[in-house]
Amino acid sequence: MLAAITALVLAPALASSHAIAEPRCAGIDYNAKVMEIIRALPTGGGYSRGNSFVSPKFQTHNIGGGNWELRVYDGFPSHCTSATYALFGHLVALLHNGGKISLTADQLRWLEVSWRTPDGAALVDGQDPWWIFNANGAGAAALIKHTGIGVSFRDDKLAEARPGDFLKIFWNGNVGASEQGHQVVYTGRRQVGGGEMICFWGSQKQGTRKRNGRRQPLYFPAREGGKVHTGYGEVCRPRGDIKHMVFSRITCMEQLSAGLADMRARADVNGEGPLRMPRPFEDTYLMSLRKKSSDHATLDSAYDIRPDASSLASVGSLQSEPTQ
């Protein structure tokens, strides 16, 4: 049934009386910006979760006059969180370098993919921006919550999701150490071979799985005549493969500087020892997910993830809240 693409239909942003609130601080459609960046990125580059993995490089440059510029270089081979974090970095660079937002040099450097603290201690999932984004659970939702730059929500019927939303897919029903998931950017839904597909951009590697009694590809091309690339690329996956979805939408990147400053203020900046090195910001819930399992209700509560709008008919529209 899924051997060929028979129809290709992008899911429109559907109007709803329970629509996700979208406070665009400067009137900017950040979903459109994300999709523009995706179209400019390379395809492929390889996929790895092992020793050959190369993290994206964020470089901060002094361009004079007290101004700093961010340059982002994609790392290959990549994996799902490195690809989507690189995309987030490209968005930050586009806005900061273009004068739409303003980050300090320290804040730009804090966004880099760092493996150790200044005193040499290893960083782990749940510490500082990259390792929050990389963690089990819903890393994009967590970073958005901590910085106040957007809103996260569930939308099983895809009534509110829009191309350009960050998306955490759960292949099983678990959260944390026992979860199986994929972090991507939602691009739409399509009919492929008579079945509904969820389509997204990210970094992935083709494989097979058993469906309807026979082996089929894990991923399907996003367009008729297209192919599935190893590494960066847009693909589709049967809706039936997906157990849970958490969408995260950037609505107010102008809040990023204040959000990062708040995260730094909440970290133990006094540090320890004679050098008084700054300590990393720690999300203790995400750190616990490295070795423990949790549940979706706790995940939603931790990061203000709104329930599916279709379940709120008697509650009213979803509203965004300031970060705590």
Side-chain angles (χ1 to χ4, degrees), residues 5 31 55 66 82 98 116 142 150 153 185 191 193 237 277 284 298 317:
I5 297 179
N31 285 60
S55 62
S82 75
R116 295 188 176 275
F153 58 97
V185 173
Q191 293 294 315
R237 187 83 179 249
M277 294 289 187
T284 54
T298 303
S317 63

Side-chain angles (χ1 to χ4, degrees), residues 115-257:
W115 298 87
R116 295 188 176 275
T117 64
D119 61 357
L123 289 164
V124 299
D125 285 348
Q127 295 180 315
D128 287 349
W130 153 246
W131 292 100
I132 288 172
F133 200 91
N134 187 63
N136 285 335
L143 187 60
I144 281 176
K145 163 66 177 175
H146 289 309
T147 56
I149 61 174
V151 62
S152 297
F153 58 97
R154 293 183 184 265
D155 184 20
D156 288 344
K157 294 185 178 179
L158 301 175
E160 310 292 349
R162 293 181 53 214
D165 288 337
F166 288 83
L167 169 61
K168 174 60 183 282
I169 294 172
F170 293 86
W171 305 125
N172 64 10
N174 303 332
V175 175
S178 57
E179 78 177 48
Q180 297 174 6
H182 196 32
Q183 187 157 280
V184 296
V185 173
Y186 175 70
T187 59
R189 58 177 168 175
R190 301 181 171 93
Q191 293 294 315
V192 179
E196 184 182 31
M197 294 273 175
I198 305 298
C199 301
F200 46 84
W201 177 92
S203 178
Q204 47 272 319
K205 182 179 180 179
Q206 184 61 290
T208 63
R209 67 165 294 170
K210 197 170 185 178
R211 302 187 189 96
N212 300 321
R214 61 189 179 91
R215 303 301 298 184
Q216 295 182 340
L218 278 179
Y219 301 103
F220 293 80
R223 290 166 181 80
E224 189 171 3
K227 61 180 296 186
V228 173
H229 296 274
T230 299
Y232 281 19
E234 186 183 0
V235 298
C236 301
R237 187 83 179 249
R239 178 67 180 86
D241 289 355
I242 299 170
K243 302 303 182 186
H244 297 278
M245 296 184 289
V246 174
F247 295 87
S248 294
R249 181 173 302 166
I250 294 175
T251 62
C252 190
M253 283 292 281
E254 293 79 3
Q255 173 64 22
L256 182 58
S257 179

Side-chain angles (χ1 to χ4, degrees), residues 271-292:
E272 300 172 348
L275 298 180
R276 300 178 69 81
M277 294 289 187
R279 292 186 60 82
F281 175 87
E282 294 186 344
D283 182 318
T284 54
Y285 175 65
L286 288 184
M287 293 177 71
S288 74
L289 297 184
R290 296 168 57 225
K291 298 180 179 180
K292 296 181 180 180

